[in-house]
Amino acid sequence: MSFFSQLKAKLTPKATQPYVSGFKNTQNGLGEKFKALIGIQPLIDESLYAQLNDVLLRADLGVTMASELIKSLRQKAKAEKLTESQQLIDALSQLLREPFIPFELVLHDGLNIFLIVGINGAGKTTTIAKLAHRFTQEGKSVVTVAADTFRAAAVEQLKHWSNRVGVPCISGSPQADPASVVVDGIRYALAHQTDVVLIDTAGRLENKTHLMEELAKIRRVIVKTAQREPDHVWLVLDGSTGQHALKQALTFKETVQISGIVCTKLDGTAKGGSLVAIAHDLKLPIPFIGLGEHLDDLIPFDPDAFVYAITQEASP
Ligand SMILES: Nc1nc2c(ncn2[C@@H]2O[C@H](COP(=O)(O)OP(=O)(O)OP(=O)(O)O)[C@@H](O)[C@H]2O)c(=O)[nH]1
Ligand SMILES: [Mg+2]
């Protein structure tokens, strides 16, 4: 049974719908191109590999990931004695699925602590609003913490979203030490037996050492106040920047022990292929992706639906 047929058998139209519309542009650059190649060149030959490499690069998988995939593809073609281009593309789609680490978000009893980090404008605050909305709908109590104290507007933005969702927002005085606001937030959540605390942090560039150290400090005060590690430290990446996002992520991962990636702004991008490289290089799960600016536009990431959506045109 081909990989495509296995995917199709597993997925429902409801599960694939947001992926098919959200990743339409990525599909145009990937699945559509695969389909065209199969049409022109039904049998595998050397030039097919070069053309596939080209397609992968254009879909923003990055040079390293693309050449690794082509290498694995050659091995697979040899081992399985593949002759038709259709078979090769099917094998490639399977390889695109492999780097994704399974993830299921399970909230435990007691306080679940989420620390959200990332560079300026990646979508941290919006993601927190969307998460607060999701958890509230699941019947959980939520509190947000505005530890982005650099800009008054940042605090206002989180307060505004929290109001809309109907959850309390803990903030400090302007220019307060972000770590002290985090302590207040955790204490509040513990005192009120809240299920989820979502901590928003200021956007920072990964090359600004003192700001990265500040994140490490925030992590330490969480441990001190809550008497345990945060449950989730998620790095929010702007998916529309493709390979750029990946470079930032590596530094964040070293400084604050990131446990997962939320990739935003994937709606409309042609760079969706970068998700494969992100999963492969960072070896971290992708719990959620952002496919729009509304509260409902954060969806749990389903790697099967993703690979289906970006390659479907090439399936027989
Ligand atoms: N299209 C789209 N836009 C998004 C998505 N997520 C966030 N945005 C937009 O991206 C912009 C920046 O989002 P914020 O949530 O303010 O980003 P931030 O990381 O908190 O930014 P700073 O606090 O300045 O570091 C806003 O205009 C959001 O509406 C998404 O999934 N899709
Ligand atoms: Mg923000």
Side-chain angles (χ1 to χ4, degrees), residues 201-263:
T201 59
R204 63 202 70 222
L205 285 174
E206 73 285 6
N207 57 8
K208 293 270 188 286
T209 319
H210 64 290
L211 287 178
M212 294 305 275
E213 275 164 10
E214 183 187 275
L215 276 188
K217 182 178 171 192
I218 288 179
R219 198 190 166 100
R220 285 197 300 276
V221 302
I222 291 174
V223 175
K224 209 168 155 203
T225 316
Q227 297 293 308
R228 56 186 178 78
E229 297 286 329
D231 297 279
H232 306 280
V233 182
W234 288 351
L235 174 63
V236 177
L237 294 177
D238 178 344
S240 67
T241 66
Q243 287 291 309
H244 275 289
L246 187 53
K247 291 203 186 80
Q248 296 153 15
L250 288 166
T251 320
F252 272 96
K253 193 183 172 194
E254 279 166 22
T255 320
V256 265
Q257 294 157 270
I258 303 296
S259 63
I261 303 289
V262 175
C263 208

Side-chain angles (χ1 to χ4, degrees), residues 120-126 130 151 157 203 265 267 290-293:
N120 305 73
K124 296 177 292 300
T125 306
T126 315
K130 291 169 176 172
R151 296 177 300 124
Q157 191 193 356
K265 308 189 201 182
D267 42 314
L291 286 174
E293 296 184 86

Side-chain angles (χ1 to χ4, degrees), residues 1 9 32 35 87 158 163 205 209 213 221 236 248 298:
M1 195 178 182
E32 283 275 357
K35 183 185 174 191
Q87 296 172 312
L158 187 65
N163 260 335
L205 285 174
T209 319
E213 275 164 10
V221 302
V236 177
Q248 296 153 15
L298 187 77

Side-chain angles (χ1 to χ4, degrees), residues 68-106:
E68 239 179 72
L69 281 169
I70 297 296
K71 195 176 152 204
S72 310
L73 199 55
R74 282 180 194 278
Q75 286 165 353
K76 217 171 156 87
K78 202 172 165 197
E80 294 172 21
K81 299 195 170 57
L82 306 181
T83 53
E84 293 167 26
S85 303
Q86 180 76 64
Q87 296 172 312
L88 197 70
I89 303 285
D90 192 64
L92 176 55
S93 305
Q94 191 169 6
L95 290 174
L96 291 175
R97 170 66 181 80
E98 269 172 19
F100 295 105
I101 299 169
F103 180 89
E104 196 195 343
L105 182 61
V106 182

Side-chain angles (χ1 to χ4, degrees), residues 30 55-57 59-63 65-66 69 96 243 273-274 276-277:
L30 210 71
V55 173
L56 294 174
L57 287 180
D60 220 35
L61 274 100
V63 180
M65 184 79 232
L69 281 169
L96 291 175
Q243 287 291 309
S274 61
V276 182

Side-chain angles (χ1 to χ4, degrees), residues 51-212:
Q51 294 184 70
L52 285 176
N53 190 56
D54 215 43
V55 173
L56 294 174
L57 287 180
R58 278 168 206 271
D60 220 35
L61 274 100
V63 180
T64 322
M65 184 79 232
S67 59
E68 239 179 72
L69 281 169
I70 297 296
K71 195 176 152 204
S72 310
L73 199 55
R74 282 180 194 278
Q75 286 165 353
K76 217 171 156 87
K78 202 172 165 197
E80 294 172 21
K81 299 195 170 57
L82 306 181
T83 53
E84 293 167 26
S85 303
Q86 180 76 64
Q87 296 172 312
L88 197 70
I89 303 285
D90 192 64
L92 176 55
S93 305
Q94 191 169 6
L95 290 174
L96 291 175
R97 170 66 181 80
E98 269 172 19
F100 295 105
I101 299 169
F103 180 89
E104 196 195 343
L105 182 61
V106 182
L107 298 181
H108 57 73
D109 288 339
L111 182 61
N112 292 264
I113 306 171
F114 290 74
L115 176 62
I116 307 297
V117 305
I119 72 151
N120 305 73
K124 296 177 292 300
T125 306
T126 315
T127 296
I128 286 186
K130 291 169 176 172
L131 286 170
H133 173 65
R134 169 173 290 270
F135 295 142
T136 307
Q137 286 200 321
E138 288 170 4
K140 303 291 176 195
S141 54
V142 178
V143 56
T144 63
V145 179
D148 181 350
T149 55
F150 287 107
R151 296 177 300 124
V155 177
E156 286 314 309
Q157 191 193 356
L158 187 65
K159 278 188 182 163
H160 171 79
W161 275 117
S162 303
N163 260 335
R164 262 188 70 183
V165 179
V167 302
C169 173
I170 306 302
S171 61
S173 50
Q175 305 300 315
D177 175 9
S180 74
V181 182
V182 171
V183 171
D184 289 349
I186 302 265
R187 284 192 183 143
Y188 176 97
L190 289 171
H192 291 79
Q193 296 182 339
T194 310
D195 299 315
V196 176
V197 60
L198 299 165
I199 303 168
D200 193 12
T201 59
R204 63 202 70 222
L205 285 174
E206 73 285 6
N207 57 8
K208 293 270 188 286
T209 319
H210 64 290
L211 287 178
M212 294 305 275

